[in-house]
Amino acid sequence: MFEVTNQPPPLEPYNVFASDTVLREAVAREQAGWADDGLKALGATLGKPETVKLGFDANKYTPTLRALDRYGHRVDEVEFHPAWHELLAIALRAGLHSSPWAEPKPGAHVARAAGFYLLMQIESGVCCPLAMTYGSVPTLRQAPGIAGSWLPKIYGREYDRRFMPVGEKTAALIGMGMTENQGGSDLRANVTRAEPAGDGTFRLYGHKWFMSAPMCDAFLVLAQSPKGLSCFLMPRWTPDGERNAIHILRLKDKLGNRSNASSEVEFDGAYAELIGEEGRGIPTIIEMGNYTRLDCAIGSSGLMRQALTQALHHARHRTVFQKKLIDQPLMENVLADLALESEAATVLTLRLARAYDEDDELSLAYRRVVTPAAKFWICKRTPYVTFEVMEVLGGSGYIEECVMPRLYREAPVNSIWEGSGNVMCLDVLRALARTRGAAEMLAAELDGGGDRRLNTFVQRLRDRLQSPEHHDESQARALVRELILALQASLLIKHAPVAVADAFCASRLEGDGGAAFGLLPRGIDVRAIIERASPLS
Ligand SMILES: Cc1cc2nc3c(=O)[nH]c(=O)nc-3n(C[C@H](O)[C@H](O)[C@H](O)COP(=O)(O)OP(=O)(O)OC[C@H]3O[C@@H](n4cnc5c(N)ncnc54)[C@H](O)[C@@H]3O)c2cc1C
């Protein structure tokens, strides 16, 4: 029998929250220090070997569609492995689907963001219905009658896996159906019809090309009513206790996000109620989009953190050429560079989450401009991080028993859904043009603290913003990248150790940072950066 040597011990059990210095500092700084105990408890649960296994199981035993029963009647149900349900139960107990709405207080969105970031690291498929439910609340509130009956269920913390009318359940989850076959970014191209039923409700006819988590209790859906594109709430059961006419045609065979079911559906006279003003469906549902976009940025930051944790753990234990990997100078460069990317993403998303807790002018500008900008840049960087970490782990990183293939396959989805990269960057241009004073307020946030590199970078950004070409769509990605790098650098200068801020400015504001990891120039204190990022296990 061969001997097993030079392999790292399992990382778990570990506390996903307590072992993350950057996250703990950000939670305290962004007014959610009160949530520390709850996050520690969640971090301990998520880092247990049995919870980690739930993530693997939920992705190995993927959901299946049961469209018809054995007699041929439509049932339109999706069956999941028990691991999926257990993970959702953990998430709802922690309030990750609605806590800031159910129990508003300073730091509530930040605390929930931190919890979401933790869960994303262990299993990200369940985060899809959680994000949609979280985002649905401001939209539902535009119809107070409907909100009155649905919100108490959305606030419920006892996950209820049963497929039955919401009145009989302890908690509810909400999905959304916007994307149609002929167009997802251009929602005005929607052709699903909403016909008035004569009693104030509507019946929907049409097809949605993507509708994820189809076992949610209701969906926010766009459809063309007599007054134009409108937003509707479409429950899985009608008020008469019948299955609503939502027919699941198939489940998508996806690259990643495999624990989650993403379906293609047809509505055949499905019962629905109007939300918001008829004919103003896009502004109504866009309220939800801001929150789901925020979650894309938070979630991708979580994916980066999990990848980094895996890399640091492996490198600390694996010996190559008589030295631990973590002590090899070139690997130190790679690991420190990955840590910078992760820390910059984490501090920015938690700062952005705080803007959702506050209502001053700067927070409104931050929400409106930085949400799509952060979604673009952070989600765009995540596939590179997961790929690099896979390589840190060598051949084992490419094998399915390791979490890295799952993280790698998951990484692109946040960039595509809820507004793909270009759409996000064009939205930033629109937001800058329409939000009075936004550019000036954000520029004022970019305090370089005397750092020459940031000051020069910000001056270039200001020039770009003031130039007549700043509306030039072809340059939108370049502008958004600069805005995010400047915000990240400024946050790191204010709040991170000098080694981190200095390395970020040297590599991202000057130099080749971003082309690949491991290009940090000489003179960076890579040891200090790695130590700070290392999980404390
Ligand atoms: C796993 C998964 C789950 C999903 N779940 C849901 C769901 O639950 N509900 C739902 O409604 N949708 C869902 N979607 C759909 C997703 O939101 C859309 O795919 C996305 O919005 C893009 O729309 P599209 O596929 O029609 O691409 P298109 O709109 O055709 O866009 C294609 C490309 O063109 C770019 N583009 C668009 N407009 C411009 C422009 N003016 N200038 C330059 N470039 C432009 C886009 O950025 C994109 O890169 C899901 C998608 C995935 C992959």
Side-chain angles (χ1 to χ4, degrees):
M1 187 66 187
F2 71 92
E3 207 187 333
V4 177
T5 59
N6 195 23
Q7 288 287 346
L11 170 64
E12 58 275 5
Y14 79 114
N15 189 313
V16 188
F17 179 68
S19 62
D20 188 339
T21 305
V22 172
L23 179 64
R24 282 188 291 125
E25 284 178 8
V27 164
R29 184 169 61 242
E30 307 299 358
Q31 317 297 320
W34 52 265
D36 224 54
D37 289 346
L39 289 167
K40 257 186 217 135
L42 179 63
T45 301
L46 293 174
K48 285 182 185 167
E50 47 278 30
T51 316
V52 171
K53 183 170 183 310
L54 292 177
F56 277 90
D57 285 349
N59 283 277
K60 183 170 179 186
Y61 307 105
T62 53
T64 51
L65 171 62
R66 204 161 73 89
L68 308 174
D69 72 8
R70 64 179 165 144
Y71 303 106
H73 304 116
R74 287 215 74 97
V75 287
D76 296 299
E77 289 185 38
V78 178
E79 291 172 349
F80 291 87
H81 187 270
W84 166 266
H85 297 297
E86 284 185 50
L87 287 160
L88 274 178
I90 292 171
L92 263 68
R93 260 198 305 279
L96 303 186
H97 61 312
S98 63
S99 57
W101 310 117
E103 295 160 39
K105 59 178 126 171
H109 286 281
V110 171
R112 184 251 165 211
F116 192 80
Y117 174 101
L118 297 177
L119 178 61
M120 274 295 288
Q121 298 186 48
I122 303 304
E123 209 294 295
S124 39
V126 290
C127 292
C128 169
L130 298 173
M132 293 191 291
T133 305
Y134 166 60
S136 71
V137 174
T139 294
L140 287 173
R141 282 183 174 162
Q142 297 184 42
I146 296 171
S149 59
W150 278 87
L151 292 189
K153 297 291 178 182
I154 289 173
Y155 297 163
R157 291 212 181 190
E158 197 184 325
Y159 172 63
D160 193 335
R161 59 185 284 180
R162 295 171 304 160
F163 180 44
M164 52 173 46
V166 69
E168 297 166 42
K169 294 186 64 168
T170 52
L173 292 173
I174 307 293
M176 67 180 189
M178 299 193 287
T179 308
E180 297 189 1
N181 187 304
Q182 69 282 1
S185 307
D186 185 1
L187 294 172
R188 288 163 303 182
N190 268 219
V191 294
T192 293
R193 274 180 5 259
E195 296 185 358
D199 60 356
T201 68
F202 289 77
R203 299 293 175 271
L204 267 50
Y205 297 87
H207 173 253
K208 294 288 171 184
W209 184 232
F210 276 94
M211 200 171 85
S212 288
M215 291 307 282
C216 283
D217 298 282
F219 304 87
L220 285 164
V221 174
L222 286 180
Q224 300 284 356
S225 70
K227 291 191 183 161
L229 194 59
S230 306
C231 179
F232 297 90
L233 183 72
M234 191 180 68
R236 283 301 305 271
W237 295 80
T238 69
D240 301 334
E242 302 289 327
R243 281 165 199 251
N244 204 358
I246 304 168
H247 302 319
I248 305 176
L249 302 180
R250 59 174 165 172
L251 301 186
K252 303 283 196 186
D253 186 6
K254 294 177 287 182
L255 167 70
N257 194 254
R258 297 184 71 87
S259 64
N260 180 28
S262 295
S263 66
E264 199 178 323
V265 288
E266 189 166 27
F267 309 141
D268 185 17
Y271 171 93
E273 292 180 76
L274 180 70
I275 304 282
E277 199 181 322
E278 192 179 341
R280 290 190 50 77
I282 293 179
T284 305
I285 209 162
I286 279 300
E287 273 280 306
M288 175 179 190
N290 288 334
Y291 290 89
T292 44
R293 287 168 182 178
L294 168 67
D295 271 8
C296 288
I298 298 165
S300 289
S301 306
L303 290 178
M304 281 195 215
R305 172 64 197 172
Q306 177 59 208
L308 175 67
T309 302
Q310 295 290 331
L312 293 169
H313 178 71
H314 182 85
R316 174 182 289 177
H317 294 282
R318 180 82 166 175
T319 301
V320 288
F321 300 104
Q322 292 86 46
K323 263 195 207 169
K324 292 291 181 209
L325 257 181
I326 205 164
D327 296 323
Q328 295 283 4
L330 187 50
M331 185 57 91
E332 280 184 320
N333 193 324
V334 172
L335 293 171
D337 207 1
L338 287 165
L340 292 178
E341 197 69 35
S342 170
E343 176 155 359
T346 305
V347 297
L348 181 65
T349 47
L350 274 268
R351 168 66 187 91
L352 176 58
R354 179 156 68 85
Y356 284 79
D357 278 319
E358 294 171 354
D359 274 326
D360 56 291
E361 273 201 315
L362 171 63
S363 298
L364 296 178
Y366 220 97
R367 278 190 227 175
R368 185 61 195 95
V369 177
V370 181
T371 306
K375 180 186 184 297
F376 166 66
W377 187 246
I378 290 171
C379 298
K380 201 54 91 186
R381 297 295 292 154
T382 311
Y384 297 100
V385 170
T386 55
F387 162 51
E388 191 66 62
V389 170
M390 216 187 263
E391 200 166 314
V392 172
L393 271 61
S396 304
Y398 197 69
I399 302 303
E400 291 289 346
E401 284 166 321
C402 163
V403 75
M404 287 318 303
R406 176 146 60 92
L407 295 185
Y408 180 69
R409 283 196 301 268
E410 183 72 18
V413 72
N414 281 339
S415 192
I416 296 172
W417 91 300
E418 273 304 76
S420 310
N422 287 353
V423 172
M424 289 300 89
C425 294
L426 296 177
D427 194 42
V428 173
L429 292 191
R430 218 171 8 254
L432 284 168
R434 291 187 189 166
T435 318
R436 204 154 50 89
E440 294 71 24
M441 278 186 278
L442 289 173
E445 279 279 285
L446 299 173
D447 174 12
D451 188 284
R452 174 193 53 78
R453 295 160 299 192
L454 181 57
N455 289 337
T456 310
F457 194 83
V458 169
Q459 190 49 52
R460 217 170 59 218
L461 176 61
R462 282 209 173 100
D463 293 345
R464 194 193 268 281
L465 284 168
Q466 280 159 10
S467 84
E469 284 97 49
H470 81 272
H471 296 300
D472 179 355
E473 290 189 5
S474 76
Q475 296 307 301
R477 282 190 181 218
L479 174 92
V480 172
R481 172 181 163 277
E482 283 180 16
L483 173 65
I484 290 298
L485 291 179
L487 284 167
Q488 289 179 324
S490 138
L491 286 167
L492 293 175
I493 286 170
K494 280 184 212 146
H495 306 301
V498 173
V500 172
D502 181 48
F504 189 87
C505 292
S507 58
R508 270 54 172 186
L509 306 186
E510 293 180 331
D512 292 326
F517 291 101
L519 300 177
L520 297 178
R522 262 199 221 99
I524 300 285
D525 188 352
V526 287
R527 283 239 148 228
I529 299 169
I530 291 172
E531 267 314 300
R532 173 172 171 76
S534 290
L536 312 169
S537 60

